[in-house]
Amino acid sequence: MENIDIKLIPSKEILIILPLLKELNSFTDENILKERILEMSKSLNYKCIGVYVNHKLIGITGLWFLTRHYCGKTIEPDHVIIDHTFRSKGIGKILFEWIYNYAKNNNFETIELNTYVENTKSHKFYENEGFKKLGFHYIKKI
C-alpha cells in the first residue's frame, strides 16, 4: 500500500468522517450522527484520527482518553472503520501500530475497546492483536 498517512482530523473538519461512520452506524439517523460527532469533537478527552491513502480518507478511529481504576491511564479506540474496498490489506494493523506508538509516547498504560457482537471479523483482528476479552458491554436506552 502506497502513501499511507495517519493523522489527527481537526475539529473544524470532523464531519468528513460521516460517510465512513455511516458504514458502521447505518441504523442511526444522519442528523443525529452529525450532532453527536460535533459534540464529541468538543471534548478534551477525544481525538479523531484519519487514515489516508493518496490523500483520500479511507479509515477512521476516535480515541477516548480516560483513567480507570482497573487499568489505569487508557486509550479507547472507538468507531474503528476502514473503507470496505481497503479491508484485508493490512491497514488496520498499520493503524493500530500508530495507536500503540501514540499510547507509549504519551504514557498510557492500556488500550481497551468495544466491538459489536455481530462484527466477528473485528473480534478475530483484535484477538490477533493481543486484545483479551474482559467482560460484557451493556447498554440501556432511557
Side-chain angles (χ1 to χ4, degrees), residues 48-104:
C48 192
I49 307 303
V51 180
Y52 298 82
V53 172
N54 298 323
H55 307 289
K56 178 185 176 193
L57 182 66
I58 59 96
I60 58 171
T61 187
L63 297 179
W64 290 99
F65 309 105
L66 307 144
T67 300
R68 298 189 186 267
H69 64 87
Y70 62 89
C71 63
K73 190 176 173 185
T74 187
I75 291 179
E76 183 180 346
D78 186 24
H79 57 268
V80 179
I81 308 164
I82 304 296
D83 181 283
H84 67 278
T85 59
F86 289 90
R87 291 183 190 152
S88 300
K89 298 180 189 263
I91 293 173
K93 186 139 184 81
I94 293 168
L95 173 59
F96 270 81
E97 283 301 320
W98 188 95
I99 294 169
Y100 303 147
N101 288 328
Y102 183 91
K104 288 175 190 171

Side-chain angles (χ1 to χ4, degrees), residues 24 114-124 133 135-138:
L24 188 65
N114 293 302
T115 183
Y116 292 128
V117 172
E118 63 275 355
N119 191 351
T120 55
K121 287 185 179 180
S122 73
H123 304 168
K124 183 176 179 181
K133 292 177 189 169
F136 294 96
H137 180 90
Y138 289 93

